[in-house]
Amino acid sequence: MLSDITVFIDEGGDPGVKDGLKFSDTRYEWFTLGAYVIRTENEPNAVATVRKIMEGVKGYQKPDLHYANLPLASRVPACRYIATVPSRAFCLLSHKTNLREYTNPILGKMKSSQFYNWCCRLLLERVMYWYRQQIDNGDVAENPIKIVFSERGGHDYEHMFSYFERLIDQAKHGGFKKKPKCFEASMMNRSHWSIEPHSKIAGLQLADAIASAFYQAANRRSPNWAVEPARALAPIMGERLGGSACDVGVTVWRDCQDFRVWPGIMGNKESHHVTTQRTCHTE
């Protein structure tokens, strides 16, 4: 069975949660996951998008696009260009300080691998929520999503895929231990998941730009703090019907009073900076 859409997933920051107390007042307290979503038939266009961005950066000598290697002045133009190409973007942000005392009722205290898998789940739930809207609107067929994960050294992907398969089984039999925002068995099929090196896949490099732009926006203590690159992605952030990206295209887990979002990202109905919705209710 073919896929109608492809989801590329990459991260910003580090998913480690055990030794972060010493970083509680630094930028290392944030972890982000970005998803770049396009129609599967348009995957080759991602190569052209990356090439166009790199060509626009004077003196860029790297063989692949990595947001961290872009000059500060080039980050807004890069994100602005990404937002002109037909696609959707999603970002999950986690403020790890709020997890120090958090205990999952099933997992207990999370290890970094479990934390990463959980964040991937939350991100994919929101992609599936958006995808369901597209299906119901007649824009795409109901087929499994093709998911490409950026390879992380040392991560147990076999364990993560087994976790997703358990969720698929729960979706089929109505036995979710923790109610998801949206998790549909018809959208998830292991044969459509893969792990690829960031340097080889243009879609992953664009997912990195999404994750890293929001990582930069969240880290107010960083000398390079800036919200403009993330703001430039507003036109392609996934939205719910009604035009808000809150808890769809942009999600913070768990709730963090230090992070504010803006009308351009959250939807035109927002009139001032607000805290993003909590996603704790989906645990």
Side-chain angles (χ1 to χ4, degrees):
M1 186 178 295
L2 299 177
S3 297
D4 277 59
I5 66 169
T6 300
V7 180
F8 299 95
I9 296 177
D10 207 340
E11 76 270 2
D14 188 283
V17 294
K18 292 179 65 176
D19 63 350
L21 283 176
K22 61 185 178 182
F23 299 132
S24 60
D25 293 322
T26 76
R27 61 184 181 276
Y28 301 108
E29 275 301 273
W30 285 95
F31 174 69
T32 61
L33 274 178
Y36 181 72
V37 182
I38 56 175
R39 288 184 178 269
T40 302
E41 63 187 23
N42 292 334
E43 279 187 42
N45 295 348
V47 177
T49 301
V50 167
R51 183 181 301 116
K52 183 74 172 181
I53 292 171
M54 292 194 298
E55 288 175 350
V57 181
K58 185 177 180 179
Y60 193 87
Q61 300 295 323
K62 303 291 183 180
D64 59 325
L65 177 65
H66 202 294
Y67 185 90
N69 293 330
L70 289 175
L72 295 180
S74 298
R75 293 178 178 181
V76 171
C79 290
R80 189 175 293 138
Y81 182 72
I82 292 172
T84 67
V85 180
S87 59
R88 282 296 177 267
F90 298 79
C91 189
L92 178 94
L93 305 93
S94 180
H95 190 234
K96 294 185 290 184
T97 296
N98 292 340
L99 295 174
R100 298 299 169 219
E101 303 304 322
Y102 172 73
T103 300
N104 185 288
I106 298 171
L107 299 175
K109 287 287 187 179
M110 284 190 184
K111 299 178 181 179
S112 62
S113 59
Q114 293 171 321
F115 172 66
Y116 180 84
N117 295 348
W118 178 257
C119 287
C120 282
R121 170 187 172 169
L122 294 179
L123 180 69
L124 287 170
E125 285 180 9
R126 281 139 186 84
V127 173
M128 283 187 267
Y129 177 89
W130 169 84
Y131 189 35
R132 169 49 60 191
Q133 292 181 156
Q134 309 310 305
I135 293 170
D136 292 346
N137 200 40
D139 294 332
V140 290
E142 186 167 348
N143 290 320
I145 299 170
K146 180 179 178 181
I147 308 173
V148 183
F149 296 91
S150 181
E151 185 175 25
R152 297 186 67 253
H155 189 67
D156 189 345
Y157 287 98
E158 179 64 27
H159 182 269
M160 183 173 78
F161 287 178
S162 295
Y163 169 54
F164 290 159
E165 288 187 315
R166 290 196 300 273
L167 294 175
I168 293 171
D169 186 65
Q170 291 173 22
K172 289 179 178 178
H173 300 97
F176 279 111
K177 295 180 179 179
K178 291 296 178 181
K179 184 180 179 181
K181 184 176 183 69
C182 178
F183 198 102
E184 299 194 28
S186 63
M187 299 180 187
M188 296 289 282
N189 187 304
R190 186 169 181 153
S191 66
H192 292 254
W193 310 335
S194 64
I195 307 104
E196 303 291 345
H198 168 278
S199 61
K200 302 296 184 182
I201 306 295
L204 291 176
Q205 295 166 38
L206 297 171
D208 165 74
I210 294 164
S212 298
F214 277 90
Y215 184 75
Q216 183 180 12
N219 286 308
R220 297 170 62 186
R221 295 178 177 86
S222 169
N224 295 327
W225 174 64
V227 300
E228 289 78 14
R231 188 186 302 233
L233 294 167
I236 60 170
M237 301 308 297
E239 297 178 341
R240 63 165 54 88
L241 294 178
S244 174
C246 183
D247 201 28
V248 182
V250 183
T251 303
V252 177
W253 185 77
R254 301 172 74 209
D255 187 39
C256 176
Q257 296 300 321
D258 289 338
F259 187 77
R260 297 293 184 271
V261 291
W262 47 90
I265 288 291
M266 301 310 290
N268 294 329
K269 292 185 177 181
E270 302 291 349
S271 60
H272 55 81
H273 291 178
V274 296
T275 306
T276 51
Q277 286 185 3
R278 300 186 64 159
T279 61
C280 300
H281 63 280
T282 65
E283 296 168 14

